[in-house]
């Protein structure tokens, strides 16, 4: 899963996202999806989501121990 297909993403999924402020460094932030903000079925830079803690970013993949 690369985070570009909306049909692969759903509420409650643990994902790694890149926040707007971290786009240059590529630093990943892990969390649980609260809302899916991108309405399109595909986005080349990743589907935009809001995590349960309120942070917003684009999905880069599933959350793993190394990404946290």
């Amino acid at each position: 899963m690369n985070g570009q297909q909306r049909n692969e993403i759903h509420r409650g999924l643990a994902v790694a996202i890149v926040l707007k402020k971290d786009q240059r460094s590529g630093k990943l932030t892990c969390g649980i999806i609260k809302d899916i903000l991108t309405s399109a079925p595909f986005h080349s830079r990743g589907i935009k989501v809001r995590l349960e803690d309120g942070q917003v970013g684009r999905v880069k993949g599933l959350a793993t121990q190394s990404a946290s």
Side-chain angles (χ1 to χ4, degrees):
M1 200 246 315
N2 61 11
Q4 296 178 331
Q5 300 289 335
R6 193 174 191 276
N7 64 355
E8 297 176 343
I9 296 172
H10 55 85
R11 291 183 69 195
L13 186 65
V15 293
I17 67 170
V18 65
L19 302 173
K20 182 78 170 177
K21 67 177 184 157
D22 296 329
Q23 283 180 341
R24 285 182 178 249
S25 68
K27 179 182 174 232
L28 297 177
T29 302
C30 294
I32 308 294
I33 295 176
K34 178 180 178 183
D35 299 308
I36 300 172
L37 304 177
T38 299
S39 59
F42 173 84
H43 194 286
S44 61
R45 289 181 303 243
I47 300 298
K48 189 179 279 190
V49 298
R50 178 180 296 116
L51 301 181
E52 288 181 343
D53 64 4
Q55 296 184 91
V56 174
R58 295 196 182 272
V59 176
K60 294 301 176 188
L62 294 175
T64 61
Q65 293 294 79
S66 62
S68 49

